[in-house]
Amino acid sequence: MEKTNFLPIGYGVLRSTIITVIFMIVYAIIMSFVDIGEKTNAIFYLATTVLSIMYGSIYAVRKINKNGWLTGLIVAMMYMLIIYVVSLIAGNSPDLQYRGIVRVLLALAVGALSGMLGINI
């Protein structure tokens, strides 16, 4: 039986989360000086999610060097689970609306595609 090392996946999720925190801090600083609309907020949150998942998936796949789409999918699922739990702790409602479901599906697709990209770089 083949031994699998899950540590790179954990590091990929950790790196994704750190990138998200850095982007959010910078965005919060910008928002304190400039009035930004709700549409811009949604675009920024989506771009932050996509870039973070891409980075974490590619990092994990480069370390594992196999099963790119699966590794990327796992990183994306774990990242979105962390974001969901943090959102619940922050006081948001636990129900997933249409926008949330689309965001999760997009995150999973980005994770899988980034994993495929990372294995071929």
Side-chain angles (χ1 to χ4, degrees):
M1 186 181 249
E2 185 177 333
K3 182 180 176 187
T4 306
N5 188 1
F6 290 107
L7 200 56
I9 292 174
Y11 282 138
V13 173
L14 179 65
R15 286 174 176 249
S16 294
T17 306
I18 291 171
I19 292 292
T20 300
V21 169
I22 291 170
F23 282 167
M24 292 299 170
I25 289 171
V26 169
Y27 193 61
I29 292 170
I30 292 170
M31 283 178 50
S32 67
F33 296 112
V34 179
D35 187 29
I36 297 175
E38 188 175 323
K39 192 170 186 175
T40 305
N41 284 340
I43 292 170
F44 177 78
Y45 296 145
L46 185 65
T48 299
T49 301
V50 167
L51 291 174
S52 297
I53 291 173
M54 284 178 66
Y55 176 70
S57 296
I58 290 173
Y59 175 82
V61 167
R62 296 293 296 155
K63 294 293 180 184
I64 294 176
N65 225 6
K66 62 180 178 181
N67 296 334
W69 67 273
L70 182 61
T71 302
L73 198 62
I74 292 170
V75 169
M77 283 191 300
M78 291 177 67
Y79 172 85
M80 290 307 289
L81 182 64
I82 289 171
I83 295 298
Y84 182 70
V85 169
V86 169
S87 175
L88 288 178
I89 292 170
N92 291 336
S93 69
D95 61 334
L96 280 178
Q97 297 173 349
Y98 176 74
R99 183 183 287 185
I101 293 171
V102 169
R103 184 171 286 156
V104 169
L105 292 176
L106 180 64
L108 295 176
V110 167
L113 292 173
S114 297
M116 288 185 241
L117 177 69
I119 202 77
N120 292 315
I121 290 179

